[in-house]
Each structure stands twice: as C-alpha cells, then as structure tokens.
C-alpha cells in the first residue's frame, strides 16, 4: 500500500515557489519540514546581516510549522542547521542561540550543524531542516 501524503503550507508562513513547508507521511506518521528560512509571512528577509535576528525568525517559523503539523520541538527526530559562514565562531554562536530558544528540545536528538557557502535567498544566513515524529492517527 502506498503511504498517504499530506502537504501543508501554513497561512502564517511565506508562500513557496512550488514546495511545501511540511510533508506528513501517514504510514509511520512523520512530518518533514522544508528548510525554514528567515522570512516573515510576506516572504521578506528579516535581519539583513544579523545572524542572531535571522536565527530567531527561523526558530519562530519552525515552531509555527511544527504546530501546524501537530508537533512540537520535543517531537523532532532529526535537525540539520545550515549557517552561511566558514567561521567556527558563527556556527557556535548559532548553536548556542538555538539551545537557548524555545526550539531547543528539537536539538536533543540527531542534529547536524553545517557551515555553507550559500543559501537560497539573497542575504540569507541560516536555515533549519527538521523531521518530526507525529502521534498515531485514529
């Protein structure tokens, strides 16, 4: 039997150019969030040049997406954090800010922190990719 997929784009998040913020797989009940970017609901980049401000927006967007899927940070089973920098200090500062945020429980399981050369939006400095386990449906 082919698993049933539900794709979601919460109204509180920016519009996407073809992908969905969330894909829920009914078989096994997981939610696969698209990389959450530092964009406001209108799709505007927040905090140009500020890794901290952009990290805070990514946290807010990730919490919104998790809630729309019926999950919370404690349900995250995999996290990948991308930071546009080759400076270890930037990666460390981002990690520390994430661990001090309401999203912190998401980083207690499998997590990867990467320094990268470029991200998808002009001026984007950080992105987070999450997979969450969802409660079994009725």
């Amino acid at each position: 039997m082919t698993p049933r997929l539900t794709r979601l784009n919460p109204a509180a998040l920016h519009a996407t150019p073809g992908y969905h913020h969330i894909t829920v797989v009914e078989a096994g009940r997981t939610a696969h969030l698209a990389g959450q970017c530092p964009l406001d609901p209108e799709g505007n980049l927040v905090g140009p040049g500020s890794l901290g401000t952009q990290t805070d927006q990514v946290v807010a967007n990730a919490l919104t997406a998790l809630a729309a899927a019926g999950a919370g940070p404690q349900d995250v089973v995999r996290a990948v954090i991308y930071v546009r920098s080759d400076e270890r200090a930037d990666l460390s500062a981002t990690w520390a800010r994430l661990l001090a945020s309401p999203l912190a429980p998401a980083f207690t399981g499998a997590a990867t922190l990467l320094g990268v050369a470029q991200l998808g939006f002009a001026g984007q400095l950080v992105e987070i990719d999450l997979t969450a386990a969802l409660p079994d449906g009725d």
Side-chain angles (χ1 to χ4, degrees):
M1 179 177 188
T2 303
R4 191 169 71 84
L5 300 178
T6 304
R7 300 186 194 283
L8 304 169
N9 279 322
L13 296 177
H14 63 85
T16 65
Y19 65 88
H20 292 81
H21 285 285
I22 306 159
T23 299
V24 178
V25 181
E26 294 300 326
R29 300 279 302 148
T30 57
H32 302 263
L33 279 60
Q36 295 301 299
C37 302
L39 304 177
D40 66 17
E42 291 75 39
N44 300 309
L45 182 77
V46 301
S50 173
L51 188 52
T53 300
Q54 288 194 17
T55 299
D56 293 346
Q57 184 67 47
V58 167
V59 165
N61 290 350
L63 290 169
T64 297
L66 285 168
Q74 70 281 0
D75 299 311
V76 171
V77 296
R78 177 85 175 117
V80 181
I81 303 102
Y82 303 91
V83 179
R84 186 177 169 215
S85 179
D86 61 359
E87 297 293 327
R88 189 171 307 280
D90 290 339
L91 276 68
S92 295
T94 302
W95 184 250
R97 194 172 191 105
L98 291 170
L99 293 182
S101 79
L103 193 59
F107 308 110
T108 60
T112 302
L113 175 64
L114 302 166
V116 298
Q118 190 65 271
L119 290 166
F121 293 95
Q124 181 181 354
L125 301 174
V126 64
E127 184 166 331
I128 297 177
D129 177 3
L130 301 174
T131 302
L134 301 176
D136 289 332
D138 293 338

